[in-house]
Amino acid sequence: MLFMSRLLLAIQYGVALFFIRKKIKGLGFPLGLTITTFTLCGGAYYSMVPAFSEASGNGLGIYYVWYIIIGIEVGVVTGTASIWRKLSFKKTHLMERLGLLTLIIIGEGAIGVTKTVAKLMSKSGLTFDGCFLVIFIVLILTFLFILYFDNTTETHFGSIRQLINAALHFPLHLGIVGIVEGSQQVALARYVFKQFGAFQDTVTDACLTAHLDGAALTAPLIATVKGFKLDTKLESKDQVPVILDALYAVGNATGICSAANVTAGSTPPEAIQKASTDVLGGLFESTGVKVGAGEDAFELARSAYFTLYIYYWASVLFALLSFAAIFWVVSSKERGTNMYNKLALGSRILVVVVAAGLGFGKVL
């Protein structure tokens, strides 16, 4: 798709050059440069296809090249429009289109909330935690909408500012996508760990505290797992027999939770740890995360949610930094630096600092 989109853009610019070459002088070179850039970048995207094979590591190291190429494209388009003003966005409706695109991206996040509701409460019904998680996701989307359309201006600003504004929408949209998707994943992560915490509490009560054995031990564990209703979800129903087999194996191990083997505060026996791993894998799969055969669910959880945490706060950083930059760019000289502008800009920068601290603090 990246290759085809650049090829189509090159064709569109070529058609424009063909029809205006005699009417408007001096645009042959900048349009030709733009056509060449899109053609070469499209070829570069196409040449990256082999890097996404399994033998090449699924393209994990090639994404950096993507951003470099995108930066070159943005630089060429905005650079030519800055030098040859006839190619600028002046007297176009680009700003309106960018606003509509931003609204669409936020709206896609609202659609994603419905999927999150289905995963959180489709089988268990309405819950206090689930409702508040959804409400806060909607509030985040609302605040993103307010932050973007808070700085609309009806006054004219120059072509250079228009170009900078357009370029800033790329990191802004990346950040918004990360926030709206990350918010949903954070809600699902909380759901997984809350359910798994309930299972661990049952293990502590039945094994480490009461020292139950046999059927008396497996009964509360199975009852807790059935409360998760994993068998009613298409993604996790195949994991239920695996979990039950592990729990029955715990019950068949005589004296596994005897006072001689475990004490309050000690580590559960290995068989229970294996069952816990299977339960966590089932909870993962119920949210759409596939746990491969032989994968350690605990290690997968640690890696996945560590990545999610960094991803989320990095998205907040990019989005709010872009919001601040766009607000500064579109603030015309007539409006000056009044108290409202200072407060609006300062609040955005404050959130950027907080997001950077939370994200990089976890890495360090």
Side-chain angles (χ1 to χ4, degrees):
M1 294 302 294
L2 288 171
F3 166 72
M4 289 302 300
S5 64
R6 269 49 182 188
L7 181 61
L8 290 174
L9 284 172
I11 293 174
Q12 288 178 348
Y13 273 91
V15 171
L17 177 60
F18 176 79
F19 284 105
I20 69 172
R21 70 187 190 282
K22 294 181 179 179
K23 295 182 180 180
I24 303 177
K25 303 295 183 180
L27 295 183
F29 176 75
L31 288 177
L33 178 61
T34 304
I35 294 170
T36 303
T37 300
F38 282 132
T39 303
L40 293 177
C41 289
Y45 287 130
Y46 185 78
S47 66
M48 295 179 194
V49 173
F52 290 92
S53 63
E54 293 186 5
S56 301
N58 295 319
L60 294 179
I62 206 70
Y63 290 108
Y64 301 105
V65 183
W66 268 12
Y67 290 113
I68 293 173
I69 294 176
I70 291 173
I72 293 173
E73 291 177 334
V74 172
V76 170
V77 173
T78 57
T80 54
S82 299
I83 298 173
W84 290 272
R85 295 300 180 89
K86 292 180 180 180
L87 296 178
S88 69
F89 304 142
K90 190 175 182 179
K91 296 182 180 180
T92 67
H93 55 287
L94 177 66
M95 298 300 106
E96 178 186 356
R97 295 300 184 187
L98 288 175
L100 293 175
L101 178 59
T102 305
L103 189 59
I104 290 172
I105 294 173
I106 297 175
E108 288 294 328
I111 295 174
V113 172
T114 61
K115 298 179 181 179
T116 303
V117 171
K119 292 178 180 179
L120 291 177
M121 297 180 285
S122 61
K123 303 301 180 182
S124 61
L126 294 178
T127 62
F128 181 83
D129 289 351
C131 289
F132 266 83
L133 285 173
V134 172
I135 289 173
F136 281 117
I137 294 175
V138 174
L139 286 176
I140 289 173
L141 298 179
T142 304
F143 289 144
L144 289 174
F145 174 86
I146 294 173
L147 282 173
Y148 182 82
F149 291 99
D150 175 55
N151 64 336
T152 55
T153 177
E154 296 180 358
T155 59
H156 171 75
F157 53 97
S159 300
I160 302 298
R161 289 193 178 194
Q162 286 183 338
L163 293 170
I164 297 174
N165 185 19
L168 286 172
H169 274 74
F170 177 69
L172 172 66
H173 289 162
L174 282 179
I176 292 177
V177 169
I179 291 174
V180 298
E181 292 296 329
S183 298
Q184 298 166 38
Q185 295 303 318
V186 168
L188 293 175
R190 187 185 185 282
Y191 164 79
V192 168
F193 284 116
K194 180 187 177 184
Q195 301 290 73
F196 185 65
F199 179 80
Q200 287 185 313
D201 290 341
T202 304
V203 169
T204 300
D205 294 339
C207 181
L208 304 183
T209 303
H211 303 292
L212 300 179
D213 197 15
L217 173 61
T218 58
L221 298 179
I222 292 176
T224 302
V225 171
K226 286 185 176 180
F228 302 154
K229 298 184 178 181
L230 300 177
D231 56 334
T232 62
K233 299 179 180 179
L234 181 63
E235 300 89 349
S236 59
K237 67 177 184 179
D238 292 338
Q239 182 69 7
V240 174
V242 177
I243 296 173
L244 293 178
D245 289 343
L247 293 178
Y248 287 136
V250 170
N252 292 332
T254 305
I256 189 173
C257 289
S258 64
N261 292 331
V262 295
T263 58
S266 65
T267 302
E270 184 177 349
I272 293 183
Q273 292 184 35
K274 180 183 180 303
S276 299
T277 301
D278 292 334
V279 170
L280 183 59
L283 291 171
F284 262 142
E285 293 185 353
S286 69
T287 61
V289 179
K290 190 66 177 177
V291 180
E295 285 190 288
D296 187 345
F298 286 100
E299 180 60 27
L300 180 62
R302 188 199 67 81
S303 175
Y305 291 127
F306 177 80
T307 303
L308 171 62
Y309 183 88
I310 302 301
Y311 169 87
Y312 184 76
W313 287 111
S315 298
V316 173
L317 187 150
F318 273 104
L320 269 296
L321 191 60
S322 300
F323 275 133
I326 290 174
F327 184 87
W328 179 79
V329 168
V330 303
S331 296
S332 63
K333 296 180 180 179
E334 288 78 8
R335 288 165 62 179
T337 55
N338 56 38
M339 184 58 67
Y340 167 77
N341 287 346
K342 292 179 180 179
L343 181 61
L345 192 60
S347 62
R348 289 161 171 79
I349 295 176
L350 177 62
V351 177
V352 168
V353 174
V354 172
L358 290 172
F360 290 108
K362 189 68 175 179
V363 175
L364 300 177

